[in-house]
Amino acid sequence: MSDPAKFAIPVPSKDPASKKPDQTDKEEGTSKLEVKKDEEKDGDELSEEDLQLRSELEMLVERLKESDTELYRPALESLRTLIRTSTSSMTSVPKPLKFLRPHFPDLQTLYETWPASENKSQFADILSVLAMTYSDTQPRGTLKYRLLSASLKPVNAPLVDPGTWGHEYVRHLAAELGEEFEYREEQEGGTSTESETSKVEVPGTIEDLRSLAKECSLFLLSHNAEPDAVDLLQELEMIESIVTLVDENTFDRVCQYMTRCVSFLPPPDDIAFLQTVHKIYTQFQKFPEAITLAIRLGDRDMVRDDFNAAGNPVMKRQLAFILARAQIPIEWLQADSADGEEEEEFSSDLLECLSNARLSTSFREFGKEMGVEEAKSLEDVYKTHLENTRASTSNVDSARGNLAGTFVNAFVNAGFGNDKLMVDVEAGSSWIYKNKDHGMMSAAASLGLSLLWDTDMGLSHIDKYTYSAEEYIKAGCYLAIGISNASIRTEADAALALLAEHVENKSVPLRTGAIMGLGMAYAGSQREEVMATLLPLIVDEDVSMEICSLAALALGFVFVGSENGEITGTILQVLMEKAERGDKELEGKWARFLSLGLGLLYLGQQNGSDATLETLKAIEKPISKTAQVIVEGCAFAGTTNVLRVQKMLHECDEHIKKEGEEKKDGEEKKEEPSKQDDAFQTFAVIAIALISMGEEIGSQMSMRQFNHLMHYGEPNIRKAVPLAIGLVNASNPQLPILETLSKYSHDNDLTVALNAIFAMGLVGAGSNNARLAQMLRQLAGYYHKEADCLFMVRIAQGLVHMGKGTVGVNPFFSDRSIMHKPAVAGLLAVLTAFTDAKGFILDKQHWMLYFLVNAMYPRFMITLDEELNNVPVAVRVGQAVDVVGQAGKPRTISGFQTHTTPVRLGTTERAELATEEFISYAAVLEGFVILKKNPGWESEDSRMQL
């Protein structure tokens, strides 16, 4: 209760007459409140020291008004010393500034009367500091006098560093520099409005402003205010100059802050930031950090220069592991001039790292360490005894049940090569024969998933089925060859050799198997041979839309994010020709994959897709709108570009009437009922997820939008919402998201429920999440009579236990900073199939679920010594904490546990070494990490002996 009493004491205000005479008329800049506060602080009279200081300051001001110029220099020096040496608490105004404040207008007029001289320059410097107290009535005064002081300096005299006046002064200057620069930009553009700010004329050119900004930035960088320095240089559009200002103590914090800013900047600034950070890292020889940025920028020359700049062969191997994880084509590392000779440069061990050849053996060893080497049976996953259904109904629709079993077995035992249904069986009793027709294709293809990344064993196992008389089994084998080679590169190039000849086959299943096998085996490799094989199929008018679209999709996988002009031109040409002919196929279900193939070429390329979008606008068919949405969504994938998200939301707000006769304003409708017209909205929802994923705040904001869309959207929008949620949170099972999806999985609209069940699998992929497994078991009981939904529940159960909890499908890696393009392509292809689940996944194209293979990657961290042998080391694993811009050296992980490598990392987890015995070559502990012994480290025993 003491607080009100505090404020009750000074209420009887002083009589205005008793105010000091010099204070009455010079209070223009302050409000009464401030004066009152000052009175409260001073009480009735000042202490003796303050009175003495005040009279001294007033005397110095009088000196400046006298005519004797000899007195000016010492008076200015004394003023400067008094202002600088005054110490006060952080929250109150320094005493000298407070006492000089009433004299400021007089001093300003006095300044105007002085002739230009060194004294006047010093006077301006002092006025610049005093102007801080008048910033509300005279904006940018501090900057104005600072620049005047600089212009009046004699040529040879050094300018006073702004930092000598202290931190607050520099921050003030920085703020005013930003305002002034913005004002001048507006004036140049002719958009400036008359306001308080425009009345102040500040001398100096833009260059003067920039050189002053550099001085301020130097001060801020040396005083742990790196974010302020970056912001100032960004405001003055000169961020490149920070490269010369940082030193080895500040560069790391600057780079971290700038990298985190990227997701909030509009293009081209985001690219400029990444390039600047890249320059800083190369300057300080931080190659792993530099190469991750080069990968983010997708810059071929940058990747090659970084790779070649590392002189240490061990560092080169570490960079090779990073490049292999991102599936960067090896051709990027070779100079363009001579093709044949360059390949010899890479030693065999470097090639092994670059081509991901160690992945299979390392993954199996990791599985052994984790104790999950044993193959799991279907019952281990389903745990049917825990479902609340009656036993009699469990065996309905066994063909569908067996098909689900095929996928579950494949996903759960992926990569271990020892499952009981496909690999470890006698030739006759294989699970393949428990499936019918098109089911056999998926069953044969599941062999490739069991033997994932194992190219040698894989081929010998798959080979025996390629001689089968059954067409579907052969087709499945072709797909299996592609799957087992995914993200691995071999000398033999078996996939191309075996599959290229079957692309022209008469049989549709064999053709599809071969085309998609190639697409998955070479995803992201940008191989010209694959293009030469598949491009003719897109142009060929005799082939069906199915083959044409799948060829486009396969090329989209292989050339993902490459902006390949030849493929783009071909796809656009086919779309235009078909539109001119009025081809009905463009309204069929396959056309969406043709558009997706086009979109994938521009994945993450931002404005690179402009020309393509313009061309698409010229096509007057419903497919055009869908294609535009897909291409634009892909182009801005992972950029969290707010304007594009708004644009996509805008696409969702049209209510399209189903009756073709009632035309809507400004919308061209065909006369027949427009079934396909609203497909673009389905993709717009997925595009929102695509743009906002990979960045925490963007993802949370998108979740709120999905909620609205689910409440108010049309059925075509609602069915896409669960898919979008699954994409944003792939392999990241957060409880609120699981709750939301669980709610949607009981929706009245079965398509929504179906997609929600699949999304639950996607969100929990490879996490073994017990809560999610329990939810899915309940759903299996709930939908035990609904064959389609039960099928989906089974598949979701398989996904949750993917790789027995060691494999994830999240498309971001390296501390969630790099978007893995082939992974995004795979996820998008699966989601596209689910936009019409009845037409694809629940029909004959269930093999499309295998597109997830492109996104599957082990969630391990394996530590190697310099000879690339496994070395067990203690590491701490915990939830990643964002420490960018925080003072000191805060912990980067929270709630950690200490394990010995190899360890499994969740999507939002981070690892750090728990011992100082080793130093890591990599900046981020993820995947393969090479360590070297710390030369300065002594074991405890040796210390004890000493």
Side-chain angles (χ1 to χ4, degrees):
M1 292 301 291
S2 59
D3 283 0
K6 269 187 200 168
F7 297 109
I9 298 166
V11 166
S13 83
K14 290 262 177 192
D15 189 28
S18 67
K19 267 191 191 166
K20 299 182 180 60
D22 59 22
Q23 242 180 337
T24 48
D25 46 1
K26 290 178 185 156
E27 293 291 7
E28 12 170 324
T30 35
S31 60
K32 289 177 185 169
L33 192 70
E34 283 172 21
V35 178
K36 192 166 172 185
K37 273 189 191 163
D38 287 351
E39 280 180 18
E40 279 177 35
K41 282 202 188 116
D42 298 352
D44 288 359
E45 57 275 330
L46 298 163
S47 67
E48 275 184 37
E49 286 173 21
D50 290 353
L51 278 170
Q52 190 187 344
L53 176 64
R54 177 145 136 204
S55 53
E56 200 174 331
L57 289 167
E58 282 172 358
M59 181 193 71
L60 290 170
V61 172
E62 290 307 316
R63 287 249 179 97
L64 293 177
K65 291 179 182 172
E66 287 170 19
S67 53
D68 186 357
T69 49
E70 291 299 309
L71 296 171
Y72 291 170
R73 171 55 67 89
L76 289 168
E77 284 293 342
S78 311
L79 263 178
R80 205 163 110 190
T81 321
L82 281 172
I83 294 174
R84 275 196 193 162
T85 51
S86 78
T87 52
S88 67
S89 73
M90 283 287 288
T91 49
S92 61
V93 181
K95 289 274 168 26
L97 293 188
K98 190 166 145 187
F99 297 144
L100 285 170
R101 191 171 191 290
H103 301 284
F104 183 63
D106 290 359
L107 290 173
Q108 277 182 300
T109 39
L110 179 64
Y111 169 81
E112 298 301 333
T113 60
W114 282 23
S117 64
E118 194 171 341
N119 285 348
K120 187 169 182 178
S121 164
Q122 207 169 348
F123 192 7
D125 207 15
I126 290 170
L127 282 178
S128 166
V129 180
L130 293 180
M132 288 202 294
T133 58
Y134 262 78
S135 56
D136 48 355
T137 53
Q138 297 187 14
R140 305 205 296 288
T142 306
L143 176 62
K144 173 181 162 186
Y145 285 112
R146 173 79 205 175
L147 291 167
L148 284 170
S149 164
S151 61
L152 294 165
K153 270 276 180 219
V155 182
N156 50 3
L159 191 62
V160 185
D161 173 30
T164 51
W165 291 110
H167 204 224
E168 197 49 47
Y169 175 72
V170 175
R171 288 185 54 179
H172 224 87
L173 258 187
E176 294 189 359
L177 276 166
E179 279 174 35
E180 176 63 22
F181 186 77
E182 194 179 335
Y183 168 60
R184 291 194 183 188
E185 290 281 282
E186 279 177 4
Q187 271 195 323
E188 274 177 32
T191 55
S192 67
T193 48
E194 277 302 313
S195 66
E196 283 284 318
T197 39
S198 46
K199 291 175 194 164
V200 182
E201 278 306 318
V202 176
T205 61
I206 291 268
E207 277 315 304
D208 295 340
L209 295 181
R210 287 192 161 148
S211 59
L212 181 55
K214 270 191 179 177
E215 287 176 44
C216 292
S217 298
L218 260 176
F219 173 83
L220 291 166
L221 284 170
S222 55
H223 289 77
N224 297 332
E226 293 89 352
D228 297 354
V230 173
D231 294 345
L232 173 60
L233 294 175
Q234 162 65 1
E235 266 188 289
L236 271 73
E237 296 175 8
M238 47 182 290
I239 195 67
E240 306 76 38
S241 54
I242 201 165
V243 180
T244 53
L245 303 179
V246 290
D247 57 23
E248 64 270 6
N249 301 320
T250 54
F251 84 91
D252 197 34
R253 288 168 61 87
V254 167
C255 290
Q256 282 184 351
Y257 178 70
M258 286 178 71
T259 317
R260 282 309 295 266
C261 287
V262 170
S263 15
F264 303 105
L265 290 169
D269 289 354
D270 51 358
I271 304 290
F273 258 52
L274 284 174
Q275 286 168 339
T276 308
V277 178
H278 180 268
K279 269 189 203 139
I280 298 174
Y281 276 138
T282 34
Q283 183 178 316
F284 290 97
Q285 300 208 321
K286 294 282 180 192
F287 299 117
E289 289 95 329
I291 209 158
T292 50
L293 290 170
I295 294 169
R296 270 183 80 168
L297 285 161
D299 187 321
R300 187 174 183 157
D301 300 334
M302 228 182 236
V303 170
R304 184 174 65 241
D305 296 344
D306 289 345
F307 186 71
N308 293 333
N312 180 345
V314 186
M315 177 56 93
K316 268 205 158 140
R317 287 178 201 164
Q318 181 64 70
L319 296 182
F321 279 132
I322 296 171
L323 291 173
R325 172 68 182 94
Q327 280 172 257
I328 296 294
I330 294 182
E331 290 75 15
W332 279 25
L333 302 178
Q334 292 148 358
D336 295 332
S337 50
D339 292 336
E341 301 155 32
E342 298 291 332
E343 296 236 6
E344 300 309 308
E345 275 186 28
F346 299 132
S347 57
S348 58
D349 57 342
L350 200 56
L351 259 178
E352 189 184 53
C353 301
L354 276 170
S355 53
N356 245 341
R358 306 173 61 91
L359 192 55
S360 179
T361 46
S362 305
F363 175 61
R364 287 180 187 174
E365 282 168 21
F366 169 62
K368 202 179 280 180
E369 285 281 335
M370 295 283 120
V372 292
E373 199 190 7
E374 279 302 301
K376 272 194 169 186
S377 69
L378 296 182
E379 183 49 40
D380 294 341
V381 178
Y382 296 161
K383 301 196 169 136
T384 36
H385 59 280
L386 297 174
E387 289 172 12
N388 351 332
T389 50
R390 290 167 297 293
S392 57
T393 56
S394 61
N395 213 5
V396 179
D397 195 2
S398 65
R400 181 53 72 84
N402 286 353
L403 182 59
T406 304
F407 288 105
V408 173
N409 175 56
F411 282 124
V412 172
N413 296 306
F416 287 98
N418 61 356
D419 74 284
K420 298 281 182 278
L421 300 185
M422 295 295 305
V423 182
D424 286 353
V425 286
E426 323 293 282
S429 61
S430 166
W431 183 258
I432 294 183
Y433 304 110
K434 299 239 175 97
N435 289 279
K436 288 186 190 156
D437 306 342
H438 50 85
M440 288 183 166
M441 180 166 173
S442 286
S446 75
L447 201 54
L449 196 48
S450 269
L451 299 157
L452 191 57
W453 308 310
D454 186 350
T455 43
D456 310 333
M457 277 283 291
L459 281 177
S460 58
H461 267 289
I462 296 164
D463 188 54
K464 57 187 181 211
Y465 291 109
T466 49
Y467 304 113
S468 163
E470 193 57 68
E471 216 171 58
Y472 283 112
I473 294 182
K474 270 192 192 165
C477 288
Y478 298 157
L479 205 51
I481 291 170
I483 291 172
S484 64
N485 277 288
S487 73
I488 308 286
R489 186 159 177 161
T490 52
E491 294 278 314
D493 249 352
L496 193 61
L498 294 168
L499 301 179
E501 51 182 305
H502 299 292
V503 168
E504 298 292 339
N505 202 307
K506 289 278 176 289
S507 139
V508 174
L510 292 179
R511 249 183 160 171
T512 13
I515 292 170
M516 286 330 298
L518 281 174
M520 288 159 82
Y522 294 103
S525 67
Q526 303 186 15
R527 293 284 293 273
E528 297 294 331
E529 301 94 309
V530 181
M531 180 162 85
T533 313
L534 296 179
L535 208 52
L537 295 179
I538 300 180
V539 194
D540 191 348
E541 290 184 8
D542 302 333
V543 300
S544 64
M545 190 65 179
E546 178 179 350
I547 299 296
C548 172
S549 299
L550 287 175
L553 180 62
L555 285 173
F557 280 176
V558 178
F559 287 87
V560 61
S562 67
E563 291 189 50
N564 186 300
E566 200 176 330
I567 304 173
T568 306
T570 310
I571 295 178
L572 284 172
Q573 183 190 342
V574 168
L575 277 171
M576 286 163 117
E577 284 172 5
K578 284 187 187 291
E580 274 170 31
R581 289 203 304 269
D583 199 326
K584 279 273 179 275
E585 287 181 326
L586 280 184
E587 290 170 23
K589 63 178 184 179
W590 285 102
R592 64 194 72 198
F593 283 105
L594 190 60
S595 316
L596 181 62
L598 180 59
L600 291 178
L601 297 173
Y602 290 97
L603 192 67
Q605 296 302 320
Q606 301 207 15
N607 295 327
S609 60
D610 289 353
T612 307
L613 287 170
E614 287 307 314
T615 317
L616 285 170
K617 281 176 191 165
I619 299 172
E620 293 179 358
K621 278 275 181 189
I623 182 72
S624 153
K625 188 80 189 223
T626 309
Q628 284 171 46
V629 170
I630 292 177
V631 171
E632 194 162 353
C634 287
F636 287 88
T639 58
T640 63
N641 185 315
V642 186
L643 296 175
R644 305 288 158 168
V645 173
Q646 285 175 346
K647 192 171 172 187
M648 293 301 169
L649 281 168
H650 227 37
E651 301 289 5
C652 297
D653 67 9
E654 276 181 67
H655 286 289
I656 293 169
K657 291 200 171 71
K658 278 293 175 198
E659 282 70 47
E661 292 77 46
E662 296 181 41
K663 289 192 181 181
K664 272 194 86 174
D665 319 339
E667 213 179 318
E668 293 177 23
K669 285 273 177 92
K670 299 286 161 275
E671 286 308 307
E672 71 268 9
S674 50
K675 195 171 99 226
Q676 199 57 21
D677 269 1
D678 54 9
F680 71 87
Q681 294 186 325
T682 311
F683 286 101
V685 179
I686 293 175
I688 295 170
L690 193 56
I691 296 168
S692 54
M693 68 180 181
E695 195 273 316
E696 220 162 299
I697 298 168
S699 309
Q700 286 167 6
M701 284 161 66
S702 69
M703 288 300 298
R704 188 176 305 163
Q705 299 303 338
F706 294 146
N707 238 329
H708 293 320
L709 291 171
M710 200 64 184
H711 276 207
Y712 307 114
E714 302 283 317
N716 59 313
I717 291 176
R718 292 186 70 229
K719 71 177 179 189
V721 170
L723 300 175
I725 294 176
L727 180 59
V728 172
N729 303 292
S731 281
N732 185 14
Q734 305 290 342
L735 235 174
I737 287 148
L738 297 184
E739 297 289 335
T740 309
L741 287 173
S742 175
K743 189 172 76 191
Y744 295 159
S745 66
H746 294 79
D747 199 273
N748 297 334
D749 182 348
L750 275 185
T751 45
V752 174
L754 203 75
N755 287 354
I757 296 168
F758 173 69
M760 287 166 88
L762 202 56
V763 167
S767 67
N768 277 355
N769 188 301
R771 178 73 177 265
L772 186 50
Q774 173 61 24
M775 284 178 179
L776 289 169
R777 279 199 295 275
Q778 283 170 350
L779 279 172
Y782 182 76
Y783 282 123
H784 69 98
K785 286 202 173 121
E786 195 62 62
D788 288 347
C789 290
L790 186 61
F791 174 69
M792 218 63 258
V793 171
R794 296 301 181 214
I795 283 173
Q797 285 176 311
L799 291 177
V800 171
H801 298 285
M802 183 185 279
K804 290 173 258 190
T806 55
V807 175
V809 295
N810 194 289
F812 289 86
F813 67 98
S814 185
D815 216 357
R816 301 202 303 293
S817 64
I818 304 178
M819 182 174 78
H820 185 209
K821 288 179 179 170
V824 178
L827 288 169
L828 268 182
V830 177
L831 296 188
T832 305
F834 270 96
T835 53
D836 181 3
K838 287 261 189 296
F840 293 109
I841 304 288
L842 301 173
D843 192 27
K844 295 181 179 166
Q845 278 74 37
H846 31 73
W847 51 265
M848 288 189 170
L849 285 166
Y850 292 127
F851 290 154
L852 283 175
V853 169
N854 285 349
M856 287 166 64
Y857 201 84
R859 312 166 69 151
F860 57 37
M861 181 202 124
I862 293 180
T863 43
L864 310 168
D865 61 13
E866 299 189 3
E867 277 71 56
L868 302 188
N869 303 318
N870 285 8
V871 48
V873 179
V875 288
R876 291 190 279 264
V877 178
Q879 285 297 318
V881 181
D882 181 15
V883 294
V884 174
Q886 288 186 16
K889 290 191 174 171
R891 276 291 164 99
T892 53
I893 56 176
S894 75
F896 58 81
Q897 294 177 323
T898 307
H899 298 284
T900 307
T901 56
V903 292
R904 174 189 177 284
L905 295 177
T907 306
T908 54
E909 289 179 331
R910 192 182 278 161
E912 55 183 43
L913 293 175
T915 155
E916 290 178 9
E917 185 180 351
F918 294 97
I919 300 172
S920 151
Y921 277 95
V924 177
L925 300 187
E926 221 173 88
F928 295 102
V929 177
I930 304 178
L931 305 175
K932 68 173 177 190
K933 274 271 193 218
N934 183 349
W937 187 79
E938 295 173 350
S939 68
E940 289 206 3
D941 304 344
S942 58
R943 271 186 237 152
M944 294 290 281
Q945 286 166 5
L946 282 170

